[in-house]
Amino acid sequence: PSLASAETWLQTLDGKRKNIEDYAAKDKWLVVMIWASDCHICNQEAHQYVTFHRHHQHKNAQMLGISSDGVRKKKQAKAFITRHKLNFPNLIAEPEVVAELYGELTGEAWYGTPTFLVFAPGGELKAAQIGAVPSSSIEKFIQKNS
């Protein structure tokens, strides 16, 4: 599956409609982290993706965050971004929308956060993982598949 087939709209935290494809680059991998502000593992692991993005954004990969907090918890989502000093773009959607998007892209059910999607340059989905994934594993995956 590719990003072009997923037309589920998300939004920036200031309300602009976007989709994942808006963040895909033809020459870079895109690592999407789906998170929730009250997810214990997301809170524990966020720092390593800040480092990953800093090390890769001008080279071969970039991060995109998607909060599944929904509009009612936008304040908590913004606090998560601030608390963890997330240095990459973040979108927000209702959990049902995130589940629909994950299903469109993978053909599987979405179980929760954290969830990772890894897209090759050009937008083809190469990996999907529900649960924590060390950023070092993502780096190895990208090296192996580049």
Side-chain angles (χ1 to χ4, degrees), residues 21 23-29 62 120-123:
E21 192 172 14
Y23 297 89
K26 293 194 183 326
D27 61 343
K28 288 184 187 172
W29 289 79
Q62 58 195 17

Side-chain angles (χ1 to χ4, degrees), residues 93-133:
E94 299 302 322
E96 309 81 58
V97 173
V98 173
E100 180 184 330
L101 176 65
Y102 187 81
E104 281 179 33
L105 289 167
T106 67
E108 297 177 11
W110 178 63
Y111 292 103
T113 57
T115 296
F116 292 88
L117 299 166
V118 181
F119 296 92
E124 185 181 353
L125 181 64
K126 292 292 190 178
Q129 174 71 44
I130 296 174
V133 179

